[in-house]
Structure formats: structure tokens, C-alpha cells
Amino acid sequence: MILPDIPRLYTALAEILGAVLYAQAAPSRTAKPVYWGITAGWGALLAAFLYLTGDVPLLWWIPCMAAAIVWIYLYLLATRELNLLEAGYCCARAFIVAEFAASVEWQFHCGIWPQRGAGEPLSLLLLAVVYAVVYGFLFCFESRRKIAARLVITPTAMLMAVVMAVTVFAVSNLSFVSGDEVTIVVFYIRTLVDFAGVLILSVQHEQLREAALHSELAAMDNVLHRQYEQYKQSKENIRLINRRYHELKMQIAAIRAERDKVKQDAALAEMESDIHRYEAENKTGNPVLDTLLTAKSMYCQQHGINLTCVADGTLLDFLSTGEICTIVGTALDNATECVLTEQDPEKRLIRVAVYAQNGFVMLRFENYCAQPVELGPDGLPRQSSHGGYDLKSVRAAAETHGGTVTLHWENEWFTLRVLLPQKNEL
């Protein structure tokens, strides 16, 4: 039995759904209402174009399909934060998935009721069911495999995806171009080839995903190593400073024994009081936290930053040295990096608090930040002023203990909260 080919509107719908599916991998360039408005207009134009060119001669069929692919590419590039390579990669995946979805649906149609028209209710119901199953499965699969790290699409990776998409499209439609009679066997071959193309591009995507994960883990490991090295260096520096202060106290005692002037005694008493204040400063009950806070306080004093801290370090005893270095050290590094850009020294302010709250341990880091901080889909800042991989390492350390990390900017203050379940010692 000679069978009709896939209706052009069916193909248009498949391509629209494929483009929308893979567009979700990147942030939108506009607000959601604007994005969906652009998508509706773009989809209507694509459907109209494919419908009007459905009966063109074979010589013009391939240029029309190429124009439709370019239309998908421009849509991805205009509506999503994708560069040229990323848009080309997503376009190739979307096109092959659309070819597969349209092919498998029309194969079911021709296998069940080949004489029924494409616009009849049962045909439209079958279209909705098949597309819902195919794209619903792909959406769930992509959502489960989604990672915070952005994939690095190299020219080679994009070229491989495009070449594979073109090859699959050419092979799957070879029988139609040759002019042979279209039978159900041709549909079987086309569906099988398209399915193979989807699998190959999925394997390539998985490889890129694994590479991105390895890169992210390596960056987070570097952050942890850097913070730990800073901690060890700070610990040694503080030990030397403490010894120097002890020597200074002995000198003060000797001077006081030799001289008995009232003003000198007052000055010496003030110096001794300053030393006592230093000794009591950042005594939180956790030696690792004490070392970090003291080192960061000294850095802030040297750079004109006002750092205030109220912390119960005993609440963090269940964290390892590396975890405390990662969470506290990274948060303070990001805060100091931000406030150092502030021209007014009076606004170089950082506040730190560690306290218990309803069975949880709250670590709160606040710093003055005049410019709004835009957060990405992963809840982390888009700009590097407060993070990048650094804050990803903070989130990873918190999630190890079942905790969460939240970030918020309001009224020129940036707040980082780390909430951890409190561990009660038996």
C-alpha cells in the first residue's frame, strides 16, 4: 500500500516542541511572559512556512527544510543565553528529536488507520498521545540529568552534532528523495534511523555532561585545597603573633616596674587592655573557626573593612576542618572581595553570625553590596562578585550534612545563609 508522507503541520509541531524542550537548558534572555509570546509567534510562522511549502518540487524541498532549521537556530539564539556553538548544538538535537517524534507518530497512524485523514479527531488524539509520551519522557530524562555546571560546547562537539544530524536526516529520507513508492517498510527504516540518531546525540551529550561534572568537581576541590592552605598559613601566623604579644606584655610589665608616672601607667594600662581584648577576640569555642575569623579580621583591618562577628563555634564541632574552611573561608573571601570594590570606607561592612535556631545551626554572612546581585537558575549569583564555583563548594559541603544554602540581595545588603541540622552529642 502506498502511504502519504507526514503532514507538514505535524512536522512543524514536532520541531516547535523539540526547540522548546532543549531551550530549557539555558536561561531565558527575557521574562517568561515575553519568552512565551515570542515562542508562540515564532511557532506560528514556522508552521505557516512548512504548510505553505508542503507541495514544493523536490528541488526546493531540501532548501525549505534548511530554512526551517535556520529558523530554529535563530529562535534558540535570540531567546536563550546561548552562544553560536551552543545554539547550533541544541538546534541539531532538537531537529533530530523532532524527526524521530514525527516519524514514530506517523508510523503508528499508518499502521492503525492509513486511510484516515490527518485532521480527524482520532488522528489528532493519536498525535497528542504520541507527542506527549515522547516529549514527556525526554523532558523528565533531561530534568533528572540536569546539572548546575554549564556544558562547554567546543567547535568540535558542535560540528559532530551537526554532521550527525545531517547524516541521520539524509539517510532516513533517502527513500523519499529517490522517488520510490512509500510503504510502511520505509517508515520503519526512517524511524529506526532517527532513533539511532537520537541515541548517538544523547551519548555525546552524556559525555559532555560528564566532562562538565569533572570540571566542576576539580574546581570545587581547588577551592577546598586553597581554603585549607590558607587556614594552615593563618594558624602559623597567629601562633607567631601570639608569641609576640606575650613578649610585649612582659616588656610592659618591666616598664611599669621601672617608671611610676600616672600618664605612663594609664597608657600602659590601655595597651594591656588592648592585648586582653585581642586575646579574647574570636574565641568562639572552635579552634578552626577561631583561626579563620582571626585571620580574616586581620585582613579586614589592613584593608579598612569593618568585620563584626557573633559566633558560637561549639555548634560546628560536627564539621571537619576542611568543611569549616570551605563554608566560612569561602563566604568571607567572597564578602571581602565584594566590599573592597566599595569606594566609601564607611560602607565596607561585613557581619557574621553563627547560632542555633529551632534545632538547626545557622551560619549567616552579610555584606554591603550597592549593586543588585542577579541569581541564576541554580540559585547562585550569575556574576563572579559573590561566587562561581566557590559558592558551589559551599553548597556541596552543606548538602553533605543535609543542609541548605540560600542567597538574597535586598536594600544594598547581600546575605548568604547556610542552614545545617544541629548535631546533639550524646
Side-chain angles (χ1 to χ4, degrees):
M1 180 182 295
I2 301 177
L3 300 173
D5 199 4
I6 304 172
R8 301 289 277 177
L9 290 180
Y10 281 25
T11 301
L13 178 59
E15 293 179 354
I16 293 170
L17 293 175
V20 171
L21 171 67
Y22 290 111
Q24 306 307 311
S28 175
R29 296 185 185 273
T30 61
K32 282 188 177 182
V34 177
Y35 166 73
W36 288 114
I38 295 174
T39 300
W42 166 82
L45 290 175
L46 177 62
F49 173 77
L50 291 178
Y51 178 76
L52 294 175
T53 58
D55 297 326
V56 296
L58 182 62
L59 182 64
W60 288 99
W61 177 71
I62 294 180
C64 288
M65 291 302 298
I69 296 172
V70 172
W71 193 235
I72 297 173
Y73 177 78
L74 293 177
Y75 163 77
L76 293 171
L77 197 62
T79 60
R80 292 286 166 170
E81 293 184 1
L82 298 169
N83 58 35
L84 297 176
L85 296 178
E86 292 169 339
Y89 174 78
C90 290
C91 180
R93 295 190 73 200
F95 179 71
I96 290 303
V97 164
E99 285 289 301
F100 169 70
S103 178
V104 71
E105 191 282 332
W106 195 243
Q107 182 177 318
F108 277 119
H109 178 97
C110 293
I112 299 173
W113 42 62
Q115 303 301 328
R116 193 179 293 275
E120 296 184 25
L122 287 178
S123 299
L124 296 177
L125 177 61
L126 178 64
L127 172 71
V129 170
V130 174
Y131 279 14
V133 171
V134 173
Y135 287 104
F137 171 79
L138 290 173
F139 176 79
C140 294
F141 180 79
E142 294 291 332
S143 299
R144 288 178 176 271
R145 306 295 289 172
K146 189 175 182 180
I147 60 176
R150 188 164 181 170
L151 299 185
V152 178
I153 307 300
T154 62
T156 302
M158 191 275 289
L159 182 61
M160 288 179 60
V162 171
V163 170
M164 180 55 59
V166 172
T167 303
V168 169
F169 176 73
V171 173
S172 64
N173 289 276
L174 192 60
S175 298
F176 298 91
V177 176
S178 64
D180 296 337
E181 294 181 350
V182 179
T183 63
I184 194 66
V185 176
V186 175
F187 288 155
Y188 288 152
I189 296 174
R190 176 169 62 180
T191 301
L192 182 61
V193 172
D194 289 339
F195 181 66
V198 172
L199 286 181
I200 293 173
L201 290 179
S202 297
V203 170
Q204 182 194 19
H205 185 75
E206 188 66 18
Q207 292 175 339
L208 294 174
R209 177 182 171 277
E210 292 294 331
L213 280 174
H214 285 301
S215 176
E216 182 178 11
L217 290 175
M220 291 169 59
D221 184 67
N222 289 336
V223 171
L224 174 61
H225 180 72
R226 185 178 72 247
Q227 290 296 335
Y228 185 67
E229 290 299 321
Q230 290 181 5
Y231 161 72
K232 292 195 297 184
Q233 184 62 45
S234 299
K235 187 176 181 180
E236 177 62 21
N237 292 340
I238 292 171
R239 185 186 66 82
L240 296 175
I241 292 172
N242 284 335
R243 186 175 65 181
R244 176 57 184 160
Y245 270 110
H246 180 71
E247 295 173 354
L248 185 60
K249 286 171 62 178
M250 300 300 294
Q251 294 174 5
I252 292 174
I255 294 174
R256 175 171 289 172
E258 294 178 1
R259 303 191 179 188
D260 196 20
K261 294 180 180 181
V262 175
K263 291 184 178 180
Q264 289 180 344
D265 283 344
L268 292 173
E270 183 178 355
M271 292 176 61
E272 191 173 12
S273 176
D274 290 340
I275 293 174
H276 285 309
R277 278 201 301 270
Y278 166 78
E279 291 177 339
E281 187 177 10
N282 297 327
K283 299 299 182 182
T284 66
N286 185 296
V288 178
L289 184 61
D290 293 346
T291 300
L292 284 174
L293 290 177
T294 302
K296 300 302 182 183
S297 297
M298 294 171 59
Y299 178 87
C300 290
Q301 290 176 7
Q302 294 172 356
H303 294 82
I305 300 173
N306 184 7
L307 171 63
T308 59
C309 177
V310 178
D312 181 1
T314 59
L315 298 172
L316 304 182
D317 288 342
F318 65 94
L319 296 177
S320 67
T321 299
E323 290 169 339
I324 297 177
C325 291
T326 298
I327 296 174
V328 179
T330 301
L332 288 176
D333 281 350
N334 288 321
T336 53
E337 180 183 348
C338 178
V339 297
L340 280 176
T341 62
E342 179 58 47
Q343 299 298 322
D344 186 358
E346 298 296 326
K347 295 182 179 179
R348 295 180 180 177
L349 305 173
I350 299 176
R351 299 194 294 247
V352 180
V354 180
Y355 54 93
Q357 182 179 16
N358 299 327
F360 290 87
V361 178
M362 172 68 77
L363 294 90
R364 184 184 179 99
F365 305 89
E366 300 175 308
N367 66 270
Y368 181 83
C369 180
Q371 298 297 325
V373 178
E374 184 181 2
L375 301 180
D378 58 355
L380 299 179
R382 292 183 184 274
Q383 301 177 352
S384 61
S385 59
H386 280 94
Y389 285 114
D390 288 357
L391 292 185
K392 290 181 180 179
S393 66
V394 174
R395 173 177 288 175
E399 290 177 348
T400 300
H401 296 273
T404 59
V405 173
T406 57
L407 301 99
H408 180 65
W409 183 91
E410 185 178 11
N411 298 328
E412 299 185 338
W413 278 89
F414 181 82
T415 303
L416 166 63
R417 300 183 185 89
V418 181
L419 191 65
L420 303 172
Q422 187 173 359
K423 300 294 191 300
N424 297 318
E425 296 184 0
L426 299 178

